[in-house]
Amino acid sequence: MRVAAPIANTRATLRATAAALALLGLAGCLDLKVTPDACTISVAPATLTLPVNSASAIVGTAFDCDGNSIRNKKISFSSSNTAVATVTTEGNVIAVGIGGATVSAVADGKSASVPVTVTPEVAATVIINPSVLTLRRTNTRDLVATARNNQNTVIANSTFRWSSSNSSILSVDQSGKVTAIAPGSVVVTATADQTVGSANITVTDIPIGSCALSPSSSKVTVSQSVQPTLVVRDTANNVIPSQGRPIVWTSSNEIVAVVSNTGLATTRKAGTATITASPAENAQVTCSASIQAVDPRIVQVVIQQRTGSLRLGIPRGFSAALLDSTNSQVPSGRITTWTTNTPTVIGVTQAGIVTGLSLGTARVIATAEGVSDTVQLSVTNVPVSTVTLSPVQVSVQEGSTTQLRAVVTDSTGREVSDRPLEWLTSDPTKATVSNTGLVTAIAAGTVNIGATAEARLGQSTVIIQQTPVDTIVANLTNAAFTVSRGVTSAFAITLLDSRGNTLRNRNVVVTSDTPGVSVGAANAQSTLVSVSGIAIGQATLTLQVVNSNNQNEGKATRVQVTVGGPIAPVVRTP
C-alpha cells in the first residue's frame, strides 16, 4: 500500500520516539494508538435472496495483513444495480425490483461483494371482496382478490387460483366470476403463494310469482292417467325451472281421481275432479286443471294367446283383452262369453279353459258386448318327453347281433307307440343298427346306439368284443421259408377264428429260437411276416397272437427259416 510522504515521515518519527521512551521506561506513560490499513475485506452473508420491498443487513469486516480484524474501520457500501437493490451506508440492503445485483463493501481500496437476488413478493394475506354474499340462482358476480405482503402492502399483479367448495351450487372461473346454480351455501377461495382467502356465498331460489297447468281440462276413460304440464313463473313473469322446488298436488275428489306427488292424475270412477298444484314455498300461488273420467266403451276384443295348437286332452287357459276407443284396456268387470264352432274337436268353458278332444282344427271365440275375436287352434298329440333304450349297456362279439328296445313316453308320463323312431349309430364301422333296433357288431370297440323321437334321444352303449383267434396259417409250402443273408423278405399269414373266418388287426408276436441267424416281425394288419437273414444257417420262428391282456390267444404256428449265402453278382463281359 502506498502512503503519502508526510504521513509516512510522521509515523516513522512516532515509532522512533516510542522506542526511545520504552528504553527509558516511560513507554507505559504514553498512550499512542494508530488504525492500520485494511489488507482484506470480508462480507456476510455470502449470498442474499430477498422478495421485493423487503430489507436485510449485511456486515463488512476489515482485516490487517496479519489477519486481525480492524475495529472501527470505516466500510463503504454500494450496489451494482439500484433498480434491483439499494444499500444504505450502514449496509442495509433494500429489495427494489425483481432481478439480480451485487452489493460491495470497500475500505482502503480493498473490497468484497455479495450477490443479491430479488424475487417477487410473497403473499402473506389474501382478502376476497365481498367476503359475504347472497345470490339468486342464475345470478353472476365478479369477486376481487387482493394479496398483501408482511408489511401489509398490496402486491400488484398477483395471480390467484379460484375454486368453489361445491360447483353444483356455485361455480367460479379463474377471473373470480361466480355463477349461482342451485340453492345452498358454498365457500369460494382464492389462493396466491399458498396463502388462501375465502368468501362465504349463499345461493337462494328465484321466488315463484305464479303457475299454470296445461291442458286446463282433460277427458279420459276410467283407470287412465293424465300428466298435466306445470309452468312456473317468477315475480317478473319469467318462466323459471320447477325442478327441485317442492310442489303440493291435491285432488278435489279422490273417489274420481287421485294425484301423485309428481302430478300424475289417475282416474278411478266416472265423474269430475279438479287437480291443484301449489308451490310449498308460497302457498298463496296455486293453479288447477279439470279432469273428467268416463266409463270406456268396448270397441275391440283381443284373445291374448294366439298360438294355434293344443295338446290332446290337456286343458289350456285363454284370456281376452277388452279395449276402448283409445286402445286402452277396459277395467275388469265386463262379461266375456267363450264358444267354439267345432265342439267335437275342442271344448271350452266360460272361464276360457279350452281342451282338445280329438285331433283336428277348430276355432275358439271370445265375445263381449257384441264385439268378438277368434283364434284357430290345431289339436295335436302330447309331445314326447323321454326315449329310453334297454338294455342300457350290452356286450357282443364281432359278427353277432343284439336287439335293443325303445320305450317312448309323452309329457304326461304315458307310454306311446305311435311316434316314429330314428335309430342312430355313433360309429358305423364298428356297428350298424336297423330301423327296428337290431344291432350288428362289425369290429371291436364301444359304440353308442341312439333312438330319437320328436328331438328326444335315448342311448345304449354296445361293447363289441374281438372274436378270439384260433389258428395262424402261414401261406408257405411245408411251413418253410428261405431268405438270403443280409436280405429281408416276407411271407403272408392268415388269422382264423374257430369257424374259419378271417380276422385282422391282431397283435402277432414273432420270436426266433436263433436270433443270430434270423428274426421276424408281423405287420399291423396281421397279414405279413417280414424275415431278415442275419447269418447262414437255420432258425425256427414262432408266431403267436397276444390279446390286450398280454395273454396268448389261439394256437402258435412255427416256420422253419433257412438263411443262405448272398446271391452272387452277375458279371457281364464287354
Side-chain angles (χ1 to χ4, degrees):
M1 181 177 65
R2 297 181 64 186
V3 181
I7 297 175
N9 292 335
T10 301
R11 289 177 176 172
T13 302
L14 289 173
R15 285 196 293 270
T17 302
L21 291 174
L23 294 174
L24 297 174
L26 300 175
C29 298
L30 183 61
D31 185 14
L32 296 176
K33 293 184 179 179
V34 178
T35 300
D37 288 339
C39 191
T40 59
I41 300 295
S42 70
V43 66
T47 61
L48 189 61
T49 300
L50 296 173
V52 173
N53 293 327
S54 64
S56 180
I58 63 174
V59 177
T61 304
F63 295 89
D64 61 18
C65 293
D66 294 327
N68 301 311
S69 61
I70 304 173
R71 297 182 61 188
N72 302 320
K73 173 61 73 173
K74 177 63 177 179
I75 306 293
S76 298
F77 296 93
S78 62
S79 171
S80 65
N81 189 347
T82 57
V84 174
T86 62
V87 61
T88 67
T89 57
E90 293 80 15
N92 192 32
V93 179
I94 301 171
V96 178
I98 299 172
T102 301
V103 174
S104 300
V106 180
D108 296 333
K110 305 299 183 180
S111 66
S113 61
V114 175
V116 178
T117 301
V118 179
T119 61
E121 288 184 275
V122 176
T125 61
V126 174
I127 303 297
I128 297 178
N129 186 34
S131 60
V132 178
L133 182 63
T134 298
L135 295 174
R136 286 183 177 177
R137 184 163 56 177
T138 74
N139 287 170
T140 62
R141 181 72 177 269
D142 290 320
L143 303 183
V144 177
T146 303
R148 295 177 180 270
N149 61 17
N150 286 325
Q151 289 75 39
N152 202 33
T153 302
V154 174
I155 302 173
N157 301 321
S158 293
T159 300
F160 300 95
R161 180 170 56 84
W162 294 85
S163 64
S164 170
S165 63
N166 191 336
S167 58
S168 65
I169 295 176
L170 181 132
S171 64
V172 60
D173 65 17
Q174 292 308 304
S175 68
K177 182 177 182 178
V178 295
T179 301
I181 299 172
S185 297
V186 298
V187 176
V188 173
T189 58
T191 305
D193 301 325
Q194 298 184 349
T195 300
V196 181
S198 62
N200 296 314
I201 301 178
T202 301
V203 178
T204 62
D205 239 329
I206 302 171
I208 296 176
S210 63
C211 69
L213 292 179
S214 62
S216 58
S217 63
S218 302
K219 184 177 182 180
V220 296
T221 56
V222 173
S223 297
Q224 283 191 319
S225 299
V226 62
Q227 176 71 65
T229 300
L230 174 65
V231 178
V232 179
R233 296 179 182 271
D234 62 16
T235 53
N237 204 35
N238 297 312
V239 175
I240 58 177
S242 61
Q243 290 81 0
R245 312 189 85 147
I247 304 296
V248 178
W249 294 87
T250 57
S251 169
S252 64
N253 189 344
E254 292 194 348
I255 296 176
V256 173
V258 293
V259 63
S260 71
N261 57 8
T262 62
L264 180 67
T266 303
T267 57
R268 291 176 165 180
K269 186 179 180 181
T272 302
T274 299
I275 303 302
T276 302
S278 178
E281 64 191 70
N282 188 356
Q284 295 180 351
V285 176
T286 61
C287 46
S288 60
S290 175
I291 296 178
Q292 181 183 2
V294 296
D295 283 325
R297 181 176 61 85
I298 297 173
V299 298
Q300 187 178 7
V301 175
V302 179
I303 297 176
Q304 302 293 86
Q305 295 76 13
R306 313 301 294 186
T307 304
S309 64
L310 287 174
R311 301 304 183 187
L312 184 65
I314 298 179
R316 180 181 175 191
F318 282 72
S319 61
L322 310 180
L323 305 179
D324 61 17
S325 59
T326 64
N327 206 36
S328 300
Q329 189 160 333
V330 175
S332 59
R334 309 296 179 91
I335 298 175
T336 302
T337 303
W338 294 88
T339 58
T340 177
N341 64 343
T342 314
T344 58
V345 177
I346 62 173
V348 58
T349 70
Q350 291 311 302
I353 305 300
V354 182
T355 305
L357 304 177
S358 62
L359 299 180
T361 59
R363 286 188 174 274
V364 62
I365 305 164
T367 304
E369 298 180 10
V371 182
S372 299
D373 186 25
T374 180
V375 172
Q376 180 168 299
L377 303 173
S378 298
V379 180
T380 62
N381 276 319
V382 178
V384 170
S385 175
T386 61
V387 176
T388 305
L389 299 188
S390 61
V392 176
Q393 181 174 304
V394 63
S395 296
V396 295
Q397 283 191 344
E398 290 174 316
S400 61
T401 62
T402 185
Q403 179 67 53
L404 300 181
R405 179 177 179 271
V407 176
V408 181
T409 57
D410 62 20
S411 57
T412 65
R414 180 171 57 94
E415 183 176 344
V416 294
S417 59
D418 59 343
R419 313 301 167 88
L421 277 173
E422 181 183 2
W423 291 86
L424 307 168
T425 176
S426 64
D427 190 347
T429 64
K430 289 185 170 61
T432 60
V433 60
S434 71
N435 56 8
T436 62
L438 182 65
V439 179
T440 300
I442 298 173
T446 299
V447 180
N448 290 324
I449 302 298
T452 63
E454 297 180 9
R456 301 296 183 180
L457 173 67
Q459 293 191 85
S460 176
T461 301
V462 178
I463 301 172
I464 303 172
Q465 299 173 341
Q466 286 183 333
T467 301
V469 175
D470 180 71
T471 306
I472 302 174
V473 177
N475 298 325
L476 296 170
T477 302
N478 299 323
F481 185 70
T482 301
V483 64
S484 299
R485 178 168 57 86
V487 175
T488 298
S489 186
F491 59 87
I493 61 173
T494 302
L495 309 185
L496 301 176
D497 63 13
S498 59
R499 292 176 294 181
N501 297 316
T502 301
L503 305 175
R504 290 176 179 269
N505 303 317
R506 304 302 171 89
N507 183 23
V508 177
V509 177
V510 180
T511 57
S512 173
D513 65 347
T514 312
V517 173
S518 177
V519 294
N523 66 351
Q525 293 78 28
S526 311
T527 57
L528 290 174
V529 173
S530 59
V531 180
S532 298
I534 299 172
I536 296 174
Q538 288 187 334
T540 299
L541 299 182
T542 300
L543 283 60
Q544 177 69 59
V545 173
V546 178
N547 63 21
S548 59
N549 295 323
N550 204 29
Q551 297 173 335
N552 291 341
E553 186 176 281
K555 298 183 285 290
T557 295
R558 291 174 176 77
V559 175
Q560 185 73 33
V561 176
T562 301
V563 180
I567 301 173
V570 177
V571 179
R572 299 181 183 274
T573 57

